[in-house]
Amino acid sequence: MRMFNISASVGCHKGNKRKNNEDNFYLNGEFKEDPNEKKNLFFNINTNDKIQVYAVCDSMGGGDLGEIASYIAVKILSKYQKEVFNYSGIITIEKHIDEYIEDVNERICEVTSKLNKDCIVTTLALIIIYEDYMYIYNLGDSRIYFISKYEIIQLSKDHTKAQMLYKSGIISKDEMKSSPSKNILTQYLGI
């Protein structure tokens, strides 16, 4: 068993177009605790924990209450890291990740219904490092990359209508990049 020493940083900025930041992050226990936080946030960590959890939750296009969906995703991820992932074995970790995704989706749908909204949604890009294994999951178009001195490789696949058309052979890779359906998501949390 080998544990990796990881240095990681995150910055959360609302940008120039919106009044609030609807996105959130999870940096091995750190996340934006107040979904209505207006100031920019930056965190750095250095850890060699047996289980490390990192995520980006990007609410979709300024939709209704996206900050609630992204907050729910990271809040439940915090609970799963403390109560489930830290006690998982190599055989059960993938099952528990799937359970986390189902729980978050169900909770976001419950809140959407309770608030009588059409949809409250977020994407998810998730990395879990367990000893010397790395698990990556994504829903939507938040991407996960491997970056080295020599190359950049996209590890995740976008869940967009354009990606689906490309995978089906209907459009080419070049057409996918400029397709009007490149921003139409086919999977996300809150579906």
Side-chain angles (χ1 to χ4, degrees):
M1 172 178 69
R2 194 169 83 174
M3 292 194 248
F4 293 94
N5 189 26
I6 302 286
S7 295
S9 300
V10 67
C12 198
H13 187 284
K14 72 177 180 64
N16 297 323
K17 293 183 181 178
R18 298 202 173 98
K19 292 180 182 178
N20 66 329
N21 186 349
E22 297 180 350
D23 306 332
N24 215 315
F25 59 86
Y26 191 83
L27 193 65
N28 205 37
E30 298 286 346
F31 59 96
K32 187 170 69 167
E33 296 269 0
D34 178 2
N36 298 309
E37 178 66 62
K38 301 284 188 220
K39 66 182 178 182
N40 302 328
L41 300 174
F42 300 94
F43 290 98
N44 297 300
I45 66 163
N46 191 353
T47 183
N48 65 352
D49 294 345
K50 177 181 170 183
I51 294 183
Q52 300 175 41
V53 181
Y54 305 95
V56 170
C57 296
D58 182 5
S59 84
M60 289 172 38
D64 263 357
L65 303 174
E67 69 275 8
I68 301 300
S70 61
Y71 175 75
I72 290 169
V74 296
K75 184 71 173 173
I76 293 174
L77 187 56
S78 176
K79 180 181 177 189
Y80 264 75
Q81 183 176 15
K82 291 174 190 167
E83 298 175 9
V84 179
F85 298 149
N86 284 337
Y87 303 103
S88 294
I90 200 72
I91 295 170
T92 59
I93 189 78
E94 288 184 78
K95 177 181 149 245
H96 292 143
I97 294 168
D98 289 340
E99 289 170 356
Y100 157 73
I101 291 170
E102 288 177 28
D103 283 355
V104 170
N105 193 63
E106 187 175 302
R107 180 66 182 132
I108 291 171
C109 289
E110 287 171 3
V111 169
T112 300
S113 178
K114 186 177 180 179
L115 295 175
N116 200 25
K117 296 290 183 181
D118 288 334
C119 64
I120 300 173
V121 299
T122 187
T123 66
L124 172 70
L126 173 66
I127 296 174
I128 297 183
I129 298 170
Y130 182 92
E131 295 175 355
D132 56 353
Y133 293 88
M134 182 170 70
Y135 301 89
I136 65 167
Y137 286 73
N138 78 299
L139 293 168
D141 59 357
S142 293
R143 294 178 175 170
I144 300 170
Y145 290 93
F146 170 80
I147 302 172
S148 76
K149 187 176 179 179
Y150 306 103
E151 62 188 344
I152 299 174
I153 301 170
Q154 183 178 335
L155 299 177
S156 58
K157 295 283 186 216
D158 290 350
H159 296 119
T160 64
K161 188 173 180 182
Q163 175 69 33
M164 187 175 65
L165 293 171
Y166 167 69
K167 190 175 178 183
S168 300
I170 297 170
I171 63 174
S172 71
K173 196 167 196 165
D174 286 338
E175 290 172 317
M176 180 179 66
K177 292 176 185 176
S178 61
S179 171
S181 61
K182 71 180 182 182
N183 295 322
I184 300 171
L185 299 185
T186 57
Q187 291 186 35
Y188 45 85
L189 291 170
I191 199 165

